[in-house]
Amino acid sequence: MLCSSLPLSGIRRRVMAHSLVAALSLVAPMAQAEDAPAATLPELSITASKPAVPLNLPNSVEGVTARQIDESINSVSSAGALLYLPSIHVRERFIGDVNGGLAMRMYSYNASAGTIVYADGLLLSNFLNNSCCPGPRWGLVSQESIDRVDVMYGPFSALYPGNSVGGVVLMTTRMPVRFEARIKLDTFGENFELYGTDKNFTGTHGTATVGNKLGDWSFRVSIDHLDNHSHPTDFTPARAKSGAAAVPGQYTEVTGAQFDVDKANKPRVTTAAISMDHTVKDDAVIKLAYDFSPTVRATYTFDAWQNKSDKSIDSYLRDAAGNTIYGTTTAAGLYRYVRINGKDYSVTAPSISHAESEYHLHGLSVKSDSGGTWDWELTASTFNQNKDATRASSGNFGTTSSTEATAGTITFADGTGWRNLDLRGDWRSEGNLKSRHQVSFGFHMDAYTTKSDQYALGAGNWRTSSAGALSTNSRGETSTQAIYVQDAWQISSELKLVLGARQERWEAAEGSNYANGTNVSYRDSSVSAFSPKASLACQVSGAWAVRGSYGRGTRFPTVGELFKNVGITHVGGGPATPAEIAGFPAPYNVALTNDPNLKPETADSWEFTTERFLENGVWRTSLFGEEKKDALISQTDLTTLPGYSISSVQNVDKVRAYGIETSFQASDLWVRGLDLSGSVAYIHSRIVKNSLNPGLENTWVPLVPVWRAALSGIYHASDDLSYSLGWRFSGRMHDGLFNTTTRQYPDPNPNVYGGRSKFSVFDAKVLYKFARQWSASVGMDNIGNLKYFTLYPYAQRTFFASVKFDY
């Protein structure tokens, strides 16, 4: 809905204006209609950048501007811009993490196919899978290029695909109106202490941008470079030997092992830190625009992103002579076992890896923005993983490091990618933005392709040897075509009704798996879905507005959910043997696969929102919920192969969730210059019906916290100096599904490595403009040095320092 000029007194600063723009969208057309009563509030003056949300939007919206990001965010990634927005969390374990899954309200970061991220209308979300790994392609957008970020909650607009069931993130980057240039340098570091690791991990980041507008042409060229050493994100456990103790000559006594209890409260011995990621990333963007007229602009974007990642290890084990011990072997000898405090253990030697990636994104949009009777838009994009290769060593034993391994694997994902096309028109009945009807209609097409091949490495060193025999592969394509229509009808000055519908047809094709020496191909499949939408908004008074919304979102299976290799185990534990697998019915007798016949999940969502416009801010409260049928959840199927369990993505009959969220934004709160925003949300999410595993009924959905909250305050001591303090909180959630055998959840002890912690974290930043074109900042994230985990550890106390030149 349209941004309002309906006034709010006292808002002279632009801080928090983004949220006011979104909140006032409800009452805008009402206040501007010809028969609207005179406003009772003083005039509002907002200088925030223009939001990217459509004018007839029926969703709740929150946002953040470039200046707010600059004043309150330490993280240098584009994902960091979302840090304090309501009910949002990005699983960014360290700066440069490519596995930064997005969580929104009732959708976890492992449900990435239920949320959408766009940058200037170009898709960043990775719908090749439904997982944190990898997450949206945050690296394709430099934080310094962001003009604003807007977040829409729920599937209530017909303009977006069914992946919007959780919400939509719209990033808008700036285009210059005159010559501009910017250079920024950042440095950051943490001292990380966990188990036997106590080291400093540091990184640097730099970005440079130049742009100009010359007549009808405008351009922006930006380069972004990141070089970061991350803390270890994983650790190697030891496995106790069963039976009698090892005889002399079959073990080596070692020291340095670390002892604690795991998420299930079972004793654990940790022997090495692994996955310390040295990542070097470069991102170059060329953005070129041409104005055919004052209302029609064409924009072309080319983005080239490359990354080199080296994951190293640090074994804690030392023998009597002080030599580092990396692992044990199955062969007889001194390294058959290691003896720790009188007990014998096996230790898998930790693997190291080297990955190189190069991705290209092309985007073209042609858009009219006249505000008259007709407007239209064409957006097309293509994303391709031109190069994606990961080498991993097999590890070693004894005193031989994994760096010297002669065996390993290499995995190629070259050619994986997606294509998108959107055509949209807008018709306004009275030929202006105050029209009683604004009808949006359009066509959408997308196509996703996955290619993944893993080979055993041939003879020689794992870093240089060529690919040998094929181990596994996955192939598959999905595509969706959709048409939609939506009418925003201004019934009266107080009432606005938005009605919409989306018809989609989805297809899966060319699906295949290779495993156990056999290739299996799957038949093509298709399904159609109809998704109605409705929203009614009412301006109760000059200070109060309410809105009720309903929307159906249909989320189709990803190629990863359909065609990824999975495993089969005995109900009592342990993998099925090759002989057992050979006796299974097809396709389980040849290749272990996911279900290529998965059905789409359908969510019927609702939201009731009230908004209270204050003298210098806005307060929003939303009740929301959804009932999801055929939910796509990774679980154990106990019915397909009696005596065996198949752990894979499966359709769960029904999942129900609901919650309440309240948020506020205010400027000049209590004292002039103090701007505050905050939110609190409660979520209740349960499996209601599950015919494949009935014991899971009435249990929690994994990775959805019961509580989530955020608070961000910015104090402007002067026009040149600001201080910010932020707080992030996430409550209890479960790591996995309820265990129907033990009758408990898998994580009674969640706040340890391997668990999913609740956390309460504080961040701070000081920004000072010390000359007309120069500014500098210092900051600290996780001030209290909390050790918290998302299975893997998050960053501990981290220091930041930046300097920027802005012309």
Side-chain angles (χ1 to χ4, degrees), residues 456-574:
L457 287 171
N461 187 276
W462 69 276
R463 284 187 175 274
T464 57
S465 56
S466 57
L470 178 66
S471 302
T472 63
N473 75 9
S474 296
R475 293 280 192 276
E477 299 176 1
T478 62
S479 62
T480 308
Q481 296 186 17
I483 56 174
Y484 60 86
V485 62
Q486 180 169 287
D487 181 18
W489 177 18
Q490 191 71 52
I491 300 174
S492 68
S493 60
E494 293 83 17
L495 287 175
K496 187 167 189 175
L497 177 66
V498 180
L499 295 174
R502 191 177 184 95
Q503 179 67 43
E504 297 171 296
R505 178 175 174 79
W506 169 87
E507 296 181 350
E510 305 296 327
S512 68
N513 287 116
Y514 176 86
N516 299 322
T518 304
N519 191 76
V520 177
S521 297
Y522 305 104
R523 64 178 179 83
D524 298 349
S525 59
S526 64
V527 65
S528 297
F530 177 74
S531 301
K533 321 277 184 177
S535 178
L536 181 63
C538 177
Q539 181 184 349
V540 179
S541 67
W544 284 95
V546 298
R547 179 180 59 249
S549 299
Y550 160 80
R552 175 174 295 169
T554 304
R555 205 275 283 177
F556 300 101
T558 66
V559 288
E561 291 171 314
L562 290 167
F563 307 126
K564 186 179 72 173
N565 290 330
V566 300
I568 301 177
T569 61
H570 296 91
V571 170

Side-chain angles (χ1 to χ4, degrees), residues 525-682:
S525 59
S526 64
V527 65
S528 297
F530 177 74
S531 301
K533 321 277 184 177
S535 178
L536 181 63
C538 177
Q539 181 184 349
V540 179
S541 67
W544 284 95
V546 298
R547 179 180 59 249
S549 299
Y550 160 80
R552 175 174 295 169
T554 304
R555 205 275 283 177
F556 300 101
T558 66
V559 288
E561 291 171 314
L562 290 167
F563 307 126
K564 186 179 72 173
N565 290 330
V566 300
I568 301 177
T569 61
H570 296 91
V571 170
T577 66
E580 290 171 324
I581 291 173
F584 292 153
Y588 306 105
N589 60 337
V590 285
L592 311 184
T593 68
N594 245 315
D595 182 359
N597 300 308
L598 288 173
K599 294 180 286 186
E601 61 180 20
T602 302
D604 286 298
S605 302
W606 57 270
E607 182 184 68
F608 181 76
T609 294
T610 64
E611 289 168 309
R612 175 70 164 94
F613 302 106
L614 310 172
E615 182 181 8
N616 59 346
V618 62
W619 174 31
R620 173 182 62 83
T621 299
S622 297
L623 291 169
F624 53 86
E626 70 172 21
E627 185 160 296
K628 187 184 299 180
K629 297 179 180 178
D630 296 318
L632 293 163
I633 295 177
S634 180
Q635 67 167 6
T636 299
D637 176 6
L638 300 175
T639 64
T640 300
L641 299 172
Y644 300 89
S645 63
I646 304 171
S647 296
S648 63
V649 175
Q650 300 160 22
N651 286 117
V652 174
D653 303 76
K654 186 180 295 186
V655 171
R656 184 178 296 136
Y658 57 84
I660 183 170
E661 173 187 272
T662 187
S663 71
F664 73 94
Q665 304 84 30
S667 65
D668 293 336
L669 183 67
W670 301 312
V671 296
R672 183 175 179 83
L674 176 61
D675 302 316
L676 197 66
S677 67
S679 65
V680 178
Y682 166 81

Side-chain angles (χ1 to χ4, degrees), residues 94-96 188 201-204 226-230 277-280:
F94 57 89
I95 295 174
F188 39 86
F201 296 90
T202 61
T204 58
L226 173 69
D227 188 331
N228 186 32
H229 293 79
S230 84
D277 192 350
H278 178 203
T279 182
V280 180

Side-chain angles (χ1 to χ4, degrees), residues 41 85-86 136 157 173 199 263 289 311 351 383 445 476 494 500 519 521 545 656 684 745 759 781 783:
L41 298 177
L85 289 174
S157 174
T173 63
K199 295 176 62 177
K263 66 181 182 182
K311 293 184 178 180
S351 171
F383 171 84
M445 185 278 293
E494 293 83 17
N519 191 76
S521 297
R656 184 178 296 136
H684 181 279
Y745 290 95
F759 59 82
D781 279 0
I783 296 173

Side-chain angles (χ1 to χ4, degrees), residues 127 364 397 590:
F127 296 145
L364 175 66
F397 63 91
V590 285

Side-chain angles (χ1 to χ4, degrees), residues 188-211:
F188 39 86
E190 64 169 324
N191 177 256
F192 183 87
E193 296 182 47
L194 189 64
Y195 297 128
T197 301
D198 184 356
K199 295 176 62 177
N200 293 321
F201 296 90
T202 61
T204 58
H205 170 258
T207 182
T209 301
V210 63

